[in-house]
Amino acid sequence: MPLQIIRQDITKIECDAIVNAANKTLLGGGGVDGAIHRAAGNGLLKECIKLHGCEVGEAKATKGYKLPAKYVIHTVGPKWKGGDNNERELLSLCYKNSLLKAKELGCESIAFPLISTGVYGYPVEEGFNVAVEVISDFLNDCDMLVYLVVFNKSALAAGSKKFSEIDEYIDDNYVEARYDLRYANRDIEAEESVAFNAPDMAPTAPSKAGSGKMEKRGERSDEAAFTGGFEAAQTPKDIFDGIQIDESFSQMLLRKIDEKGMKDSECYKKANIDRKLFSKIRSNPHYKPSKQTAIAFAVALELPLGEFNEMLVKAGYSLSHSFKSDVIIEYFVKKGNYNIFEINEALFMYDQALLGA
Ligand code: AR6
């Protein structure tokens, strides 16, 4: 997946470069800077001394020393002073210059902390949005695996109003492994819906704390399968009626890309899918994608809910109200918001597997 949002100590990440949210002296400090210096050892400080500091928005590289990463790219974020002091532009420059430095060093992977959102006081949600915007722009022209590390998840949730709306949608629609009475008298359709949900479900992370429910690969209760992911008005038969039976997932994908007048690269980038995986799918008409990959393409193609499900059915899946992740995705599709990074942010916040591959 070209952009992955993860929660981890950045000093432990094995990738070509990690980015340090430093101060202008580059001689170490608190927060992530302190953690990186402690983990890298004294060699890092010695090399930093030779760099003679760094201006806000710039990026300078050193070796990684005892870190698993080959390089540390040091950048200095802006201090938050209310938002009218060029903070956004300067923060964008931090991400942009760090990515360019990584490219110059031949890095294939890089991990960022949320620069400026700690000691420097940048509002976390806004800082996160700047990061996603700059990174996704960069990935439009370059292939790199970028990790965005959200260390303090509750700070991100606290600053965001959008999650309350998603919470509400989940409350109204999430059917936690309960038998959906709408289907109680529709035995035939219910059986069909079981057939729709191939046992090879992709893994999803444990549900949000409190639900106590684990959804594992290949494990679904029959009860959950009965809900089948169809809205009250939409039966499996309705979906089947719209489907070109002989067409495989990859054939449907390629047809839709053509119909939308998209370039392949535009589609796989919007899907947060890497080029190699897309080539595999393109060259194999019988390719069986994971559920996350199939959904990612349906998102990239901006399909309305009916066609969205039609595409998933081609890969043996459907959106189900018994999976929290599916309810979240449905929320975005119904709102017409097909920004995969915003969807992934929400999935991340609810501890669900992210889209893409
Ligand atoms: N891994 C990943 N992210 C982390 C880690 C970690 N180990 N530790 C903290 N974060 P901050 P700033 C997150 O304060 O706001 C230093 O003293 C943290 O949750 O480290 O740019 C420098 O020397 C937050 O989201 O950096 C400067 O003086 C993000 O990293 C000043 O702080 C950035 O928080 C820079 O302040």
Side-chain angles (χ1 to χ4, degrees):
M1 207 185 303
L3 171 57
Q4 276 196 33
I5 305 163
I6 57 171
R7 187 180 192 191
Q8 203 178 328
D9 179 350
I10 204 165
T11 64
K12 306 265 185 332
I13 298 179
E14 291 188 19
C15 60
D16 292 336
I18 63 168
V19 174
N20 182 17
N23 58 55
K24 286 188 186 183
T25 69
L26 295 189
L27 301 180
V32 73
D33 193 7
I36 289 174
H37 274 271
R38 276 192 301 280
N42 217 25
L44 179 62
L45 180 61
K46 282 186 185 156
E47 190 177 348
C48 280
I49 291 170
K50 293 183 197 151
L51 294 177
H52 304 295
C54 180
E55 289 306 312
V56 176
E58 279 182 8
K60 293 189 176 181
T62 61
K63 287 184 278 182
Y65 298 91
K66 294 183 189 162
L67 291 162
K70 237 186 281 173
Y71 301 104
V72 180
I73 296 175
H74 307 261
T75 186
V76 183
K79 290 182 186 158
W80 180 256
K81 293 177 188 157
D84 293 329
N85 294 279
N86 234 12
E87 289 96 328
R88 194 183 168 88
E89 291 73 14
L90 291 168
L91 186 59
S92 301
L93 276 179
C94 290
Y95 285 100
K96 205 169 170 182
N97 286 329
S98 302
L99 287 162
L100 291 173
K101 181 62 75 182
K103 190 177 164 196
E104 189 185 307
L105 293 166
C107 297
E108 291 180 358
S109 56
I110 182 170
F112 282 96
L114 290 180
I115 301 161
S116 283
T117 65
V119 175
Y120 283 177
Y122 208 104
V124 183
E125 171 74 4
E126 290 175 38
F128 176 88
N129 290 340
V130 170
V132 170
E133 193 183 298
V134 178
I135 294 166
S136 48
D137 262 11
F138 174 83
L139 291 175
N140 276 333
D141 301 319
C142 274
D143 284 335
M144 206 181 281
L145 174 59
V146 182
Y147 296 101
L148 186 57
V149 181
V150 177
F151 198 59
N152 187 347
K153 199 169 171 182
S154 49
L156 181 56
S160 176
K161 289 182 210 103
K162 62 187 166 209
F163 295 112
S164 56
E165 210 181 296
I166 300 175
D167 265 342
E168 224 172 89
Y169 192 82
I170 290 172
D171 280 350
D172 291 346
N173 292 283
Y174 179 41
V175 189
E176 197 181 353
R178 267 184 273 119
Y179 186 67
D180 187 340
L181 292 175
R182 285 183 313 211
Y183 293 96
N185 298 318
R186 296 161 70 175
D187 292 338
I188 296 169
E189 284 165 6
E191 273 167 31
E192 280 173 355
S193 82
V194 174
F196 266 73
N197 286 281
D200 181 25
M201 299 298 287
T204 54
S207 307
K208 207 181 174 189
S211 80
K213 182 175 159 240
M214 292 283 288
E215 293 158 358
K216 287 189 195 143
R217 189 175 186 83
E219 273 185 24
R220 282 193 80 197
S221 72
D222 284 344
E223 286 179 341
F226 271 114
T227 61
F230 306 108
E231 295 191 280
Q234 202 181 12
T235 66
K237 186 175 173 307
D238 292 337
I239 293 182
F240 258 136
D241 284 348
I243 292 180
Q244 297 188 19
I245 297 289
D246 329 331
E247 197 180 42
S248 69
F249 172 83
S250 89
Q251 287 164 336
M252 179 174 178
L253 171 64
L254 298 176
R255 173 171 64 83
K256 290 277 180 197
I257 290 175
D258 283 349
E259 283 173 8
K260 301 251 168 195
M262 283 173 116
K263 284 197 209 131
D264 286 356
S265 59
E266 198 185 330
C267 181
Y268 66 72
K269 281 176 195 262
K270 269 184 85 180
N272 200 31
I273 300 275
D274 79 24
R275 186 170 38 83
K276 286 182 204 139
L277 177 62
F278 182 82
S279 306
K280 268 194 215 162
I281 298 175
R282 179 171 248 306
S283 58
N284 179 0
H286 304 296
Y287 188 88
K288 168 95 164 70
S290 71
K291 188 172 179 184
Q292 270 75 19
T293 299
I295 291 176
F297 279 118
V299 167
L301 291 164
E302 304 195 357
L303 301 178
L305 203 54
E307 282 179 62
F308 200 99
N309 257 318
E310 191 188 317
M311 181 146 202
L312 298 194
V313 166
K314 291 285 182 190
Y317 310 112
S318 71
L319 289 183
S320 163
H321 281 182
S322 53
F323 290 123
K324 199 176 277 180
S325 54
D326 289 3
V327 175
I328 294 168
I329 288 152
E330 186 184 273
Y331 164 86
F332 279 94
V333 173
K334 280 189 170 172
K335 281 191 80 112
N337 181 347
Y338 292 95
N339 183 325
I340 200 138
F341 303 115
E342 285 187 35
I343 299 175
N344 272 346
E345 179 193 2
L347 291 170
F348 173 80
M349 294 309 290
Y350 288 92
D351 294 324
Q352 304 298 309
L354 306 194
L355 300 183

